[in-house]
Amino acid sequence: MRRAGSIPSRRAAGAPDRDADFRGAIGLVAPYFRKYALRLFVGFLALVSVDFLQLVIPRIIKFAVDALQQKTATQALLLEYGGYIVGLAMMIAVLRLFWRNMLLGFSRLLETDLRNRLFSRLLVLDKAFFQRRTTGEIMALATNDLSSVQLASGMGMVALVDAVFMGVAAFLFMAYINPTLTLIAVAPTPVLALLTRFLSARLHRRFKKVQEQFSVLTEFARSTFSTIRLIKAYNQEKPQAARFNELGETYVRDNLRLAVIYGTLFPISGLIGNVSMLLVLFFGGRMIIDQTITAGDFVAFISYLFLMTWPMMAMGWVADLFQRGVTSLGRIRGLLEETPSLQDSRDSDSAGIVRGEISIRGLSFSYPGRRQPALDRIDLDITPGRFLGIVGRTGSGKTTVCHLIARLYPIPDGTIFLDGKDVNGLTLAAVRGAIAYVPQDVVLFSDTVAYNITMGRPDAPMEEIEAAARAASIHDEIVAMKDGYETRIGERGVKLSGGQRQRLAIARALLLNRPIIIIDDGLSAVDMETEHAVIRSIAEYLAGRTCIVVSHRVAPLADAHEILVMEGGRIVERGGHEHLLSRGGFYATIYRQQTNQR
């Protein structure tokens, strides 16, 4: 029996385990570092070469200044030194272009791979996941969070390597010139290290809150635009705008609290660098007066200190980028670790369903988080080629039966069989590949009529597309449109009426030509006469295949081989149309009410 399993928490109650988050983030991106190892090696080699060439320039300047001080400099010698500097600058420009392509290109490739992996994971997750997570949250992961990862793995990683190499190399060159002055210059740096460590934890928490609020903001905007007609109908434009403004102000406040950390780190980093410069100017100037070092050494030392000041200032920026990246990777990892409650096992049978026979044995089911059963001990046999109608009050379990036959939720073993095979022993692809399902909520894409009909069979010939449209009683309306089957129907089919959208979805299902078709109240937006005509047309089109139609209106189901009446998750009546009328139960009562018969 396959049931949803909860993912164990990776942290105890209380403060977040930052070390675990970091290890998880590294584990997530490590395969991509191995995949692009050669690209990274070449890129970092070019980056280090640029840094090394930058370190050579102060030495050339030292020789030039010493020559000027000693009055041995000539115009030719100065031009020679200038030529060396120009040559080095040109080499630096070429290598810098190269490492940017290699390393920043890697960050874009990483972003693309993670986005593809995220999208692929979303495609296999089932309905239970999308009931827990909002579309806005998922969109935030695919935009803001991936952008943070890209920055951390691009400029963040470059700045870290650049800062470490340049800082260490500049320190060694400074120490070579004068160890004492070097110790004076680096004396303030421990303050920066302590400050960075102190602020990084707060940076992590505040950035996570910012990302979560961005998810809320995105979801609110999405839901507003998707329900814009309802909002206008209820004259709710101003309240919605006020609510959006309130969410935006919260997002701004969270960003400002984050900016306090970010704004503290950079100025203090710059202050510490400038304090080091002040100390060098004071003590280094005295050393020149005492002739402990030459003017050329002092100029070179100042140049190296400038080179080392960048790493000191960059550490705050790097810490910010990496904290953002780790936080975002943690959020992305949470989604990638989601597992569908329905999964194929190694021994699942992938053989296709051919006949369309359905058997249900003692099926009881409760939705996750609910105690009240949606279905209670259902037994049902549908032989191939039968037309089954299902009616009942709202909440009686009609849609749940459709969901479970279509394998949208996990069920106990031995409860649903297709062609005599337990569905839990079949692959999901085998089960769903045998069923054409038309849900209550019609989903259409902002594309052409033909694209929406052929979604499941993009290579279907035009004559089959038209035949399916005729069976769904929508062909004549399509050809009456300006561009016929090439008419673009707008976002979610906004240019079509509710009945047209539903019949288009039915045509899509019919075109799949599968042994089982399920229409779950898929004609609620058309009048009873049209519904009856469509169902009769569908029955003729699907001759020899199993058809299940759920409807709140009973008259259109009069031609069904068998009709089920559901109440409270159980089958309370079953039989043909005339049989149910003669019993005088719920079916007969509803039929008379809907047809105005006494």
Side-chain angles (χ1 to χ4, degrees), residues 386-400:
R386 300 277 284 181
F387 172 17
L388 176 73
I390 305 179
V391 297
R393 293 185 176 91
T394 300
S396 60
K398 307 183 300 297
T399 294
T400 303

Side-chain angles (χ1 to χ4, degrees), residues 485-506:
Y485 281 85
E486 295 305 312
T487 301
R488 304 189 74 86
I489 61 175
E491 186 73 24
R492 299 173 66 89
V494 69
K495 295 181 180 180
L496 305 180
S497 68
Q500 288 174 326
R501 289 197 293 269
Q502 288 184 329
R503 284 176 287 153
L504 206 63
I506 290 174

Side-chain angles (χ1 to χ4, degrees), residues 121-170:
R121 172 58 59 177
L122 288 169
L123 290 177
V124 302
L125 293 174
D126 47 33
K127 196 166 185 177
F129 166 81
F130 293 101
Q131 289 174 335
R132 295 195 316 270
R133 307 286 283 268
T134 66
T135 303
E137 182 180 0
I138 295 170
M139 290 170 63
L141 288 172
T143 52
N144 256 24
D145 285 294
L146 275 176
S147 178
S148 296
V149 173
Q150 183 269 323
L151 282 173
S153 61
M155 285 308 302
M157 188 172 60
V158 166
L160 176 64
V161 172
D162 190 40
V164 170
F165 179 84
M166 186 68 78
V168 171

Side-chain angles (χ1 to χ4, degrees), residues 33-254:
F33 279 81
R34 289 191 292 269
K35 178 181 178 180
Y36 299 108
L38 180 60
R39 183 187 192 98
L40 289 169
F41 174 77
V42 173
F44 281 122
L45 185 62
L47 175 63
V48 171
S49 298
V50 168
D51 290 343
F52 176 77
L53 293 176
Q54 286 179 310
L55 292 165
V56 172
I57 292 175
R59 298 297 299 171
I60 298 173
I61 294 174
K62 166 198 159 38
F63 295 137
V65 171
D66 283 344
L68 288 170
Q69 185 184 30
Q70 296 166 7
K71 299 181 180 181
T72 59
T74 63
Q75 185 174 358
L77 182 62
L78 293 177
L79 285 173
E80 182 181 349
Y81 287 146
Y84 292 151
I85 293 174
V86 170
L88 289 172
M90 293 177 64
M91 292 174 63
I92 288 171
V94 172
L95 289 170
R96 184 168 286 155
L97 179 65
F98 194 73
W99 73 249
R100 281 179 176 271
N101 181 275
M102 292 289 104
L103 299 181
L104 299 186
F106 161 76
S107 70
R108 290 299 182 183
L109 291 171
L110 173 63
E111 180 187 16
T112 300
D113 288 347
L114 278 176
R115 181 176 286 111
N116 291 340
R117 185 175 170 186
L118 196 68
F119 189 74
S120 298
R121 172 58 59 177
L122 288 169
L123 290 177
V124 302
L125 293 174
D126 47 33
K127 196 166 185 177
F129 166 81
F130 293 101
Q131 289 174 335
R132 295 195 316 270
R133 307 286 283 268
T134 66
T135 303
E137 182 180 0
I138 295 170
M139 290 170 63
L141 288 172
T143 52
N144 256 24
D145 285 294
L146 275 176
S147 178
S148 296
V149 173
Q150 183 269 323
L151 282 173
S153 61
M155 285 308 302
M157 188 172 60
V158 166
L160 176 64
V161 172
D162 190 40
V164 170
F165 179 84
M166 186 68 78
V168 171
F171 174 81
L172 293 176
F173 273 97
M174 289 162 61
Y176 174 77
I177 294 172
N178 191 286
T180 303
L181 190 58
T182 301
L183 291 176
I184 293 171
V186 301
T189 54
V191 177
L192 179 61
L194 292 173
L195 179 70
T196 301
R197 182 172 180 81
F198 174 75
L199 293 178
S200 61
R202 287 162 177 77
L203 195 66
H204 176 85
R205 290 195 299 270
R206 293 186 184 183
F207 181 69
K208 185 176 182 180
K209 189 173 182 181
V210 165
Q211 295 297 80
E212 290 171 350
Q213 182 61 23
F214 182 78
S215 299
V216 173
L217 193 66
T218 305
E219 172 60 18
F220 184 83
R222 184 208 63 80
S223 64
T224 298
F225 295 135
S226 65
T227 58
I228 188 65
R229 286 183 290 181
L230 181 65
I231 291 170
K232 288 181 176 294
Y234 279 75
N235 197 28
Q236 292 296 299
E237 294 93 337
K238 289 184 178 179
Q240 285 293 104
R243 176 62 178 150
F244 186 76
N245 181 61
E246 181 182 336
L247 292 173
E249 288 177 351
T250 302
Y251 181 62
V252 170
R253 284 196 299 270
D254 290 340

Side-chain angles (χ1 to χ4, degrees), residues 468-598:
R470 286 191 178 91
S473 300
I474 189 69
H475 172 74
D476 291 342
E477 293 171 54
I478 293 173
V479 295
M481 297 176 185
K482 180 181 178 181
D483 298 316
Y485 281 85
E486 295 305 312
T487 301
R488 304 189 74 86
I489 61 175
E491 186 73 24
R492 299 173 66 89
V494 69
K495 295 181 180 180
L496 305 180
S497 68
Q500 288 174 326
R501 289 197 293 269
Q502 288 184 329
R503 284 176 287 153
L504 206 63
I506 290 174
R508 174 199 295 162
L510 295 177
L511 185 65
L512 293 176
N513 197 28
R514 291 176 177 173
I516 301 171
I517 183 169
I518 300 174
I519 301 175
D520 182 9
D521 206 20
L523 289 167
S524 58
V526 300
D527 58 82
M528 187 182 297
E529 183 179 345
T530 302
E531 182 180 14
H532 201 165
V534 172
I535 290 177
R536 183 166 291 173
S537 178
I538 289 171
E540 295 174 359
Y541 185 85
L542 295 175
R545 278 172 279 178
T546 303
C547 181
I548 300 174
V549 177
V550 173
S551 178
H552 281 91
R553 294 181 291 211
V554 299
L557 301 180
D559 296 331
H561 295 110
E562 185 177 20
I563 300 170
L564 305 182
V565 180
M566 299 193 66
E567 180 66 36
R570 306 189 71 178
I571 299 174
V572 294
E573 294 182 72
R574 66 172 67 191
H577 175 69
E578 295 299 333
H579 171 73
L580 292 176
L581 284 180
S582 66
R583 291 192 58 179
F586 172 81
Y587 183 88
T589 302
I590 295 300
Y591 179 79
R592 293 189 183 99
Q593 290 176 351
Q594 292 179 356
T595 58
N596 295 319
Q597 296 183 14
R598 295 186 181 275

